[in-house]
């Protein structure tokens, strides 16, 4: 009987005279999706978290185009939760009066703030939807490996093993070992380790974003990475990494002989790494005391200056010494600069 009723209801919706009712998402749909993603991550299966986040951004934009702002606001709340912003009240997100400390990915937070403004405080201008589309495009670009794939100069059309072989074939191009966007296995890491040991004197940067790395895989690479004498930046974003790895990285950084010249380790867009411990940041500061440009927000205080920043559409980074650093910027045409309101 239940099957017959289901068929009847489907037939009614498919009939020409039937007026289609408004499509509404189940309130708990995205919450259940987040829980499923967390279980898949713990089981070592499924897709990395950035797939889910990009899908939520695209669905959010579709809802806004259809005028479903209330549902878009609910979805934005789930996206904030997935990105570790659930402890910040909506008023703080909208008006930037929150105290953001040690953020691992300030660019994403800035774009989310701008999205919240457009959804909850829509502007009457005709170009408001265009601005919303631009923000979603920037966020999608930042949370996905598109920019990394473009750097491979045609390698993306090859199979992953062919890409890996091509990158490890000769000397590091521009002193960079760029494996971003290439899925890696534990066996592949043995080849990468051998390459780093052979060409380590030439390596300034290692790009391992969006490669499917887990905590154990990073620990497998850690001895080779930490002894690179010229390494300044290490990108581990867009993988399966968790907060448990932060303890190992922080302990490694306490040894001045490990990562002797590193200035930044990108851990954004992973499973649950949303902030960086102070010992981690202080260890990086000791390695580059004159640089003063660690891409993190230590604190964003209240006051007139915060209001001016909100109107300008930029987020400044606080220097631990008390000075204010340059606004957050992102390379690439789609992510040039932080989101503007």
């Amino acid at each position: 009987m239940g099957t017959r009723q289901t068929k009847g209801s489907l037939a009614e919706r498919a009939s020409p005279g039937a007026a289609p009712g408004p499509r509404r998402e189940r309130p708990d749909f995205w919450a259940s999706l987040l829980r499923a993603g967390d279980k898949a991550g713990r089981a070592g299966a499924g897709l990395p978290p950035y797939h889910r986040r990009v899908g939520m951004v695209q669905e959010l934009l579709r809802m806004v185009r259809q005028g479903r702002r209330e549902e878009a606001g609910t979805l934005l709340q789930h996206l904030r939760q997935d990105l570790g912003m659930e402890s910040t009240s909506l008023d703080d997100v909208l008006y930037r009066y929150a105290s953001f400390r040690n953020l691992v990915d300030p660019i994403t937070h800035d774009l989310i703030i701008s999205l919240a403004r457009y959804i909850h405080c829509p502007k009457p201008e005709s170009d408001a939807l265009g601005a919303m589309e631009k923000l979603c495009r920037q966020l999608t670009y930042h949370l996905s490996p598109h920019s990394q794939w473009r750097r491979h100069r045609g390698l993306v059309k090859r199979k992953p093993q062919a890409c890996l072989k091509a990158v490890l074939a000769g000397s590091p191009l521009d002193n960079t070992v760029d494996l971003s966007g290439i899925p890696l296995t534990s066996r592949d890491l043995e080849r990468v380790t051998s390459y780093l040991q052979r060409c380590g004197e030439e390596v300034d940067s290692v790009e391992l974003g969006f490669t499917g790395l887990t905590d154990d895989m990073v620990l497998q690479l850690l001895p080779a990475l930490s002894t690179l004498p010229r390494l300044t930046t290490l990108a581990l974003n867009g993988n399966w990494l968790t907060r448990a790895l932060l303890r190992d990285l922080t302990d490694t950084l306490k040894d001045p002989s490990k990562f002797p010249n590193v200035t930044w380790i990108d851990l954004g867009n992973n499973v649950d790494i949303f902030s960086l411990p102070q010992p981690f940041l202080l260890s990086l500061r000791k390695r580059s005391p004159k640089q003063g440009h660690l891409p993190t927000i230590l604190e964003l205080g209240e006051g007139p200056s915060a209001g001016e920043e909100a109107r300008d559409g930029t987020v400044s980074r606080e220097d631990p010494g008390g000075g204010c650093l340059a606004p957050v910027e992102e390379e690439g045409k789609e992510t040039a600069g932080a989101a503007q309101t």
Side-chain angles (χ1 to χ4, degrees):
M1 182 177 295
T3 304
R4 191 175 298 113
Q5 289 177 349
T6 302
K7 289 183 178 180
S9 61
L10 290 174
E12 291 175 0
R13 287 199 297 268
S15 61
R23 182 180 179 273
R24 298 187 62 85
E25 301 288 342
R26 288 173 48 191
D28 60 344
F29 173 75
W30 288 105
S32 62
L33 182 60
L34 299 185
R35 291 192 295 270
D38 292 339
K39 292 179 180 178
R42 288 192 291 269
L47 296 172
Y50 78 84
H51 282 271
R52 178 177 67 247
R53 292 162 184 164
V54 169
M56 294 171 76
V57 173
Q58 294 173 344
E59 176 67 10
L60 187 148
L61 177 59
R62 190 176 69 86
M63 290 179 174
V64 172
R65 285 172 173 167
Q66 295 176 352
R68 298 154 57 193
R69 289 189 175 272
E70 182 177 351
E71 295 173 66
T74 301
L75 179 54
L76 178 62
Q77 181 179 359
H78 289 307
L79 179 58
R80 286 170 45 212
Q81 177 185 357
D82 199 26
L83 292 168
M85 297 179 68
E86 72 275 12
S87 60
T88 305
S89 70
L90 181 58
D91 287 341
D92 289 340
V93 169
L94 288 175
Y95 299 107
R96 301 173 186 260
Y97 290 158
S99 178
F100 297 135
R101 297 180 182 273
N102 306 345
L103 290 183
V104 70
D105 189 357
I107 295 175
T108 294
H109 278 65
D110 191 61
L111 292 170
I112 290 293
I113 288 171
S114 298
L115 278 178
R117 283 179 165 177
Y118 275 98
I119 290 176
H120 296 283
C121 306
K123 296 184 178 181
E125 292 86 353
S126 58
D127 62 342
L129 180 57
M132 181 79 180
E133 291 174 343
K134 180 179 180 181
L135 283 172
C136 290
R137 189 167 63 247
Q138 288 177 327
L139 190 55
T140 299
Y141 186 90
H142 182 62
L143 293 177
S144 62
H146 298 153
S147 56
Q148 282 76 8
W149 285 341
R150 290 175 184 174
R151 289 205 303 268
H152 285 306
R153 295 179 175 87
L155 293 181
V156 69
K157 295 182 180 180
R158 305 184 187 181
K159 294 182 179 180
Q161 288 299 318
C163 294
L164 179 63
K165 183 177 180 180
V167 174
L168 302 182
S171 299
L173 184 64
D174 298 327
N175 301 111
T176 298
V177 180
D178 190 354
L179 300 175
S180 54
I182 302 176
L184 298 177
T185 64
S186 296
R187 187 171 183 178
D188 294 332
L189 297 187
E190 297 177 2
R191 299 171 61 186
V192 174
T193 299
S194 177
Y195 180 80
L196 293 176
Q197 293 171 343
R198 186 173 68 253
C199 303
E201 296 289 337
E202 308 173 50
V203 178
D204 294 339
S205 176
V206 176
E207 300 280 345
L208 293 170
F210 305 99
T211 54
L213 292 179
T214 63
D215 292 355
D216 290 338
M217 294 172 74
V218 173
L219 293 178
Q220 182 179 340
L221 281 174
L222 197 57
L225 291 170
S226 62
T227 54
L228 296 176
R230 293 177 48 183
L231 182 68
T232 57
T233 58
L234 172 62
L236 299 172
N237 55 305
N239 289 302
W240 282 108
L241 308 184
T242 69
R243 284 176 291 185
L245 180 66
L246 282 176
R247 292 192 291 270
D248 296 284
L249 290 176
T250 302
D251 290 341
T252 301
L253 287 170
K254 290 178 180 178
D255 184 351
S257 65
K258 303 294 178 62
F259 293 111
N261 288 304
V262 75
T263 59
W264 186 244
I265 300 176
D266 186 358
L267 293 164
N269 201 14
N270 277 288
V271 177
D272 59 358
I273 303 178
F274 307 125
S275 61
L276 299 174
Q278 197 67 20
F280 180 97
L281 294 172
L282 291 176
S283 295
L284 292 180
R285 175 68 62 181
K286 290 178 181 179
R287 286 164 169 77
S288 55
K290 295 182 180 180
Q291 185 196 17
H293 290 282
L294 295 182
T296 183
I297 302 175
L298 290 182
E299 183 172 0
L300 183 60
E302 299 183 16
S305 60
E308 293 174 2
E309 289 171 350
R311 288 192 296 271
D312 293 340
T314 60
V315 174
S316 297
R317 291 169 290 169
E318 292 284 332
D319 179 73
C324 184
L325 304 180
V328 175
E329 293 184 355
E330 174 69 359
E331 295 181 359
K333 184 177 294 185
E334 292 294 343
T335 50
Q340 298 181 356
T341 55

